[in-house]
Amino acid sequence: MPGWPDSDMSFAGEKSIKAWSSDSASAKVCISWGTGNKLRLSYLHPRTQEISSTATPSKVVEVKVGSVSSHESAMRRLVYDSLPAFALLQNRKQQALRQSQRGLPSDWWETVLQYSRSISVVLGANKSSSGSVLNETSEMEKRTLLRAIWDLLEIVYVDKHASSWLTEQLTDWLERYDQVLSNVEPTVNSKLSVLKPKLINTRVKYLRMHGSYQHDQIDNRQTENGLVEAVAVLISKMPRLQQSSKTDTVGVTYTFKPEFSKAWERWRNQISKLVTSVFWLECTHEGTANGLKQLLSILLGDTNILISATTHWMELLVSHVLFVKPFLMGSEGLLSLARKCMQLKPPIGIDQLTELLLAIIGENTEVVLVECRKHFDPWMVTHMLELLSAKNGQAQSFLTEERDEFDGLSLEEFHRLVYAQILSSYPCTWQLTPFYLASGTHQGQGLLEAILLMRPVSSDSKVSAKVLDICRMYDLHAVAERYKRMMGVYYWKHGRKGLGISWLQCGRDYSRLTYAANELFTDVSQASVGDSGRLQELDSLIDLLGPQFEGFGGLAFLHRFRDFKGALFSFQEGLANSISFDKQVVAGKTAVKHLMQLMKDGITADKFLLPLLQDAVELLNFSGEVLVSSAETNILLLRLQNLTITNKHDTVLDLSSESVAKIRLALGRNLGRAILKD
């Protein structure tokens, strides 16, 4: 945009709008950040312009800066939505560790279980993205895969109660996430999902074919219909050992194991009786009979039929524990059974999840971590570490053990550092890094300090406020002071000297405040005494510095120089306005008092002495009264003499003979007058 100065562009946030023309007679163009990566450009027509059909109307246009994919947008939401649960868990962990010196309590897994279910809800949230339908579908598949692995980790690693209901837990998991497995090869459930709408649409037809309670439907397929209904009843009466009853569960729920055991045996006996029934001889439809017998064989746990009926080894595993080993408690022996199922139903093509699923089932924490790092991004690895160590002491030791290859870091802290570095590289997520670094015992605190200090300093007050809030929350006082100093330097360099001084004061940067004071004096001392604008600027800046900084070099000089200039201006104003003689004398003596304060050793640098002595000539030549005593005059003569000697050895000071002669003449006359008065 030619003609628009870069320094005027404001990127301070959605509400920070910068106009490049303040004239009401000209058009205005405004720019501001909107939500996300949208930039708003606004054209406002002049106020004096008559609105007509030919006039250019005011417009507001939104421009997308760069491109954000649906995956990036979804991951950004995931990062923010998962943070509250993670932060709450870390807070509770710190409280638990402070209350007990023996480590985390035995019921800590319950807290982790709440955290796990909160994250699972976040992963299951269906929020539409700005991408295409194809991108949304792909993103949903990725999110479903994340949630499937997350929930399986919860079953095996977190929920202690799940061991008592492991069969049903695995069955529910497969029912929810079989689509993850069906991406490689279709599962039975995925096939039924396709068939279900067709069955619903043709339910009237099937009721007519298999219903035997209407007399007009009784025909030579009566036995066949009866067998179908008998098998359906047996399926509906299947005993299920579950923690609580579910309305959508097929079968009868039992929560007490002895009752379930009796019901299971009774149910299997009923199936066996039906298998050996003579009614099969009367069934004339061979396809129906074979299908029903195969279904009964599955209910009885016939291994060969289970192998032929399933399509994925995980599906075979769940079928085996559901129909063959319903009393399975815990994960003992589950890994060997899973490997056997994988041999019987080897994966078709490349199934990247096989090793990960086997590692989770076998509670092999090291392999789980390696496979998750291979297939998922750092978000998953960082957040799932809490699940792996919830109830497994060995896994907790493995994850929290300090390792030499990581420079004394544990695996848990190492992955948090990696994730925090990724968050810090994006403007929209850097402020989340403290939640993942504050709990680090080694390098987390140092990395947090570095990330905060690397935040680019700008005029955006929201960024600086956020950095200082983080420093206050985590007691990073030294970082806060350094950042305030950076802000002070930034504003000073950009001409906003008042803000620069304020930030330098907050950061206690006394060396730069001294430099600022000297630079201010160099700028202001070049103005004449009558330049009220410069004096007013000096007044406001010195008032901003405050009296508490008078003991720091140039700041003390600047305070006293301001007082001298003000008193001298009052004296000259009195002369010009012909005020009363007594008031002129009081104003002159006040100026002399401030002048002598500046003549003390260590207050005024040599380069500023000549302008001060030149300003003092008017006080020395005041005819009505001797304002400068003989002792004070001798001090001024001594400073002038030292200044002249210094100039002989140092060519930096530019002392013209006329100015020095004028000052000496005034000092000599005043000394004579002062001696006579004394």
Side-chain angles (χ1 to χ4, degrees):
M1 299 179 185
W4 289 6
D6 293 339
S7 60
D8 285 343
M9 302 186 81
S10 174
F11 299 96
E14 184 176 354
K15 296 182 180 179
S16 297
I17 301 177
K18 190 73 175 180
W20 282 271
S21 175
S22 59
D23 186 5
S24 61
S26 61
K28 295 181 180 180
V29 178
C30 302
I31 183 173
S32 66
W33 278 113
T35 57
N37 63 327
K38 293 181 180 179
L39 195 65
R40 293 196 183 103
L41 297 176
S42 306
Y43 170 79
L44 307 177
H45 63 73
R47 295 180 182 177
T48 58
Q49 178 180 336
E50 295 182 359
I51 301 176
S52 63
S53 58
T54 59
T56 303
S58 299
K59 292 183 179 180
V60 177
V61 181
E62 285 190 344
V63 181
K64 284 189 176 182
V65 181
S67 59
V68 178
S69 64
S70 60
H71 174 67
E72 291 176 347
S73 178
M75 286 306 299
R76 185 187 303 172
R77 289 197 302 268
L78 179 60
V79 166
Y80 272 93
D81 293 346
S82 60
L83 178 64
F86 182 84
L88 179 61
L89 179 68
Q90 298 305 314
N91 186 29
R92 290 179 175 177
K93 178 184 285 189
Q94 296 299 326
Q95 291 179 356
L97 291 175
R98 285 194 297 266
Q99 293 175 359
S100 176
Q101 298 180 352
R102 298 181 180 179
L104 296 173
S106 58
D107 60 348
W108 173 247
W109 67 271
E110 296 179 359
T111 305
V112 180
L113 183 61
Q114 296 178 5
Y115 158 76
S116 175
R117 290 175 177 173
S118 299
I119 298 295
S120 181
V121 171
V122 171
L123 289 172
N126 296 326
K127 297 182 179 179
S128 60
S129 62
S130 58
S132 63
V133 176
L134 180 60
N135 290 335
E136 290 182 12
T137 303
S138 176
E139 186 56 40
M140 286 296 297
E141 291 176 354
K142 294 177 182 178
R143 189 69 70 88
T144 302
L145 176 58
L146 281 174
R147 193 182 188 190
I149 299 301
W150 184 275
D151 286 356
L152 187 59
L153 287 170
E154 176 187 309
I155 293 172
V156 177
Y157 276 93
V158 182
D159 193 356
K160 283 188 175 182
H161 292 161
S163 59
S164 302
W165 327 97
L166 185 59
T167 298
E168 292 295 336
Q169 293 275 13
L170 292 176
T171 304
D172 292 341
W173 181 87
L174 181 63
E175 183 179 357
R176 291 195 304 268
Y177 304 114
D178 73 296
Q179 54 183 310
V180 174
L181 306 178
S182 63
N183 288 334
V184 180
E185 46 191 321
T187 60
V188 173
N189 191 63
S190 63
K191 295 177 182 178
L192 287 176
S193 299
V194 177
L195 182 61
K196 185 177 180 180
K198 299 179 180 179
L199 291 175
I200 294 175
N201 294 333
T202 57
R203 59 186 180 274
V204 177
K205 176 182 176 182
Y206 282 97
L207 284 174
R208 182 186 63 81
M209 292 176 59
H210 298 289
S212 61
Y213 297 103
Q214 299 295 330
H215 293 288
D216 57 345
Q217 294 179 357
I218 299 177
D219 53 16
N220 56 356
R221 302 184 65 178
Q222 181 178 0
T223 302
E224 177 186 346
N225 295 340
L227 289 172
V228 170
E229 292 179 1
V231 174
V233 170
L234 286 174
I235 294 176
S236 65
K237 297 298 183 181
M238 177 182 176
R240 308 291 293 270
L241 184 60
Q242 296 178 331
Q243 187 175 5
S244 60
S245 178
K246 300 178 181 179
T247 57
D248 58 344
T249 300
V250 177
V252 180
T253 299
Y254 292 89
T255 59
F256 191 47
K257 188 176 179 181
E259 293 180 355
F260 169 77
S261 178
K262 295 178 181 179
W264 178 263
E265 292 298 328
R266 184 168 58 253
W267 178 72
R268 286 176 62 89
N269 290 334
Q270 292 174 351
I271 296 176
S272 300
K273 290 180 180 179
L274 182 59
V275 170
T276 58
S277 173
V278 296
F279 291 106
W280 297 103
L281 300 176
E282 300 178 9
C283 183
T284 58
H285 196 279
E286 184 178 357
T288 301
N290 292 336
L292 293 176
K293 287 181 179 180
Q294 184 177 11
L295 186 55
L296 291 175
S297 298
I298 291 175
L299 297 179
L300 289 173
D302 190 319
T303 304
N304 295 327
I305 302 298
L306 289 176
I307 295 173
S308 61
T310 54
T311 58
H312 193 278
W313 67 267
M314 191 70 180
E315 193 176 26
L316 177 59
L317 172 64
V318 175
S319 300
H320 192 87
V321 297
L322 181 62
F323 298 112
V324 181
K325 294 184 176 181
F327 302 100
L328 183 66
M329 301 292 291
S331 58
E332 296 181 3
L334 190 61
L335 178 61
S336 59
L337 181 59
R339 293 189 181 279
K340 183 178 180 181
C341 291
M342 191 179 65
Q343 293 175 358
L344 296 173
K345 300 292 293 187
I348 300 176
I350 302 176
D351 189 357
Q352 299 178 346
L353 296 178
T354 297
E355 293 299 326
L356 177 57
L357 293 175
L358 288 175
I360 295 175
I361 292 172
E363 296 189 54
N364 192 335
T365 306
E366 185 173 359
V367 178
V368 169
L369 188 58
V370 171
E371 291 296 319
C372 285
R373 289 174 58 184
K374 184 189 302 183
H375 299 300
F376 305 114
D377 56 27
W379 177 91
M380 178 67 171
V381 179
T382 302
H383 290 80
M384 77 169 191
L385 293 177
E386 298 292 343
L387 274 61
L388 300 181
S389 59
K391 65 176 184 179
N392 192 327
Q394 185 177 359
Q396 185 176 12
S397 300
F398 171 74
L399 295 173
T400 57
E401 178 186 2
E402 297 180 358
R403 301 174 181 272
D404 295 335
E405 59 268 29
F406 294 145
D407 195 19
L409 293 175
S410 63
L411 285 172
E412 182 180 57
E413 187 173 0
F414 171 76
H415 286 97
R416 287 186 185 177
L417 292 181
V418 172
Y419 181 61
Q421 285 181 324
I422 295 175
L423 292 179
S424 66
S425 61
Y426 293 95
C428 59
T429 57
W430 70 267
Q431 60 268 30
L432 306 183
T433 54
F435 296 98
Y436 298 93
L437 295 177
S439 58
T441 56
H442 289 83
Q443 299 181 13
Q445 194 84 353
L447 181 58
L448 175 58
E449 295 178 0
I451 289 174
L452 293 176
L453 291 175
M454 286 190 299
R455 299 314 306 163
V457 179
S458 66
S459 58
D460 187 355
S461 59
K462 293 182 179 179
V463 175
S464 58
K466 189 63 179 179
V467 171
L468 296 178
D469 284 344
I470 293 173
C471 293
R472 183 171 59 254
M473 289 173 59
Y474 296 98
D475 296 329
L476 302 177
H477 304 297
V479 177
E481 285 193 357
R482 289 184 61 184
Y483 192 80
K484 291 174 183 177
R485 295 174 183 179
M486 292 165 57
M487 292 292 295
V489 173
Y490 172 83
Y491 282 116
W492 182 269
K493 288 184 176 180
H494 285 76
R496 305 179 69 177
K497 295 182 179 181
L499 275 175
I501 291 175
S502 296
W503 280 109
L504 290 174
Q505 284 179 333
C506 294
R508 301 180 183 180
D509 194 344
Y510 302 127
S511 61
R512 286 191 175 90
L513 283 171
T514 302
Y515 174 82
N518 292 334
E519 186 174 329
L520 282 175
F521 174 75
T522 302
D523 180 53
V524 179
S525 63
Q526 297 175 357
S528 63
V529 178
D531 192 346
S532 59
R534 289 288 181 88
L535 289 175
Q536 186 176 3
E537 178 186 359
L538 182 63
D539 271 346
S540 60
L541 291 176
I542 293 178
D543 288 338
L544 185 61
L545 287 171
Q548 65 269 30
F549 293 100
E550 287 191 1
F552 297 95
L555 297 181
F557 164 75
L558 198 56
H559 276 275
R560 297 176 185 182
F561 178 76
R562 186 272 307 269
D563 296 337
F564 169 68
K565 282 286 189 177
L568 184 61
F569 179 75
S570 298
F571 174 73
Q572 292 176 335
E573 190 178 36
L575 291 177
N577 297 330
S578 301
I579 63 175
S580 64
F581 178 76
D582 293 339
K583 291 183 178 180
Q584 291 181 10
V585 172
V586 172
K589 289 187 176 181
T590 302
V592 171
K593 175 184 176 182
H594 292 306
L595 176 64
M596 300 314 297
Q597 291 289 333
L598 289 169
M599 293 298 126
K600 291 182 178 180
D601 292 337
I603 298 298
T604 305
D606 290 344
K607 62 181 178 180
F608 299 133
L609 282 174
L610 185 61
L612 289 172
L613 292 173
Q614 288 174 338
D615 290 338
V617 170
E618 193 168 3
L619 297 171
L620 295 168
N621 292 335
F622 182 63
S623 58
E625 178 76 19
V626 177
L627 301 178
V628 185
S629 66
S630 58
E632 294 171 340
T633 306
N634 285 326
I635 293 175
L636 295 177
L637 281 169
L638 180 61
R639 296 304 300 268
L640 179 62
Q641 184 67 23
N642 293 337
L643 185 64
T644 307
I645 295 173
T646 303
N647 189 52
K648 292 180 180 179
H649 304 285
D650 189 358
T651 59
V652 176
L653 296 175
D654 184 15
L655 298 177
S656 63
S657 58
E658 293 182 3
S659 60
V660 173
K662 183 179 179 181
I663 295 172
R664 280 180 174 170
L665 180 60
L667 288 172
R669 288 177 178 176
N670 186 79
L671 181 61
R673 295 169 58 199
I675 292 174
L676 291 175
K677 180 181 179 181
D678 293 341

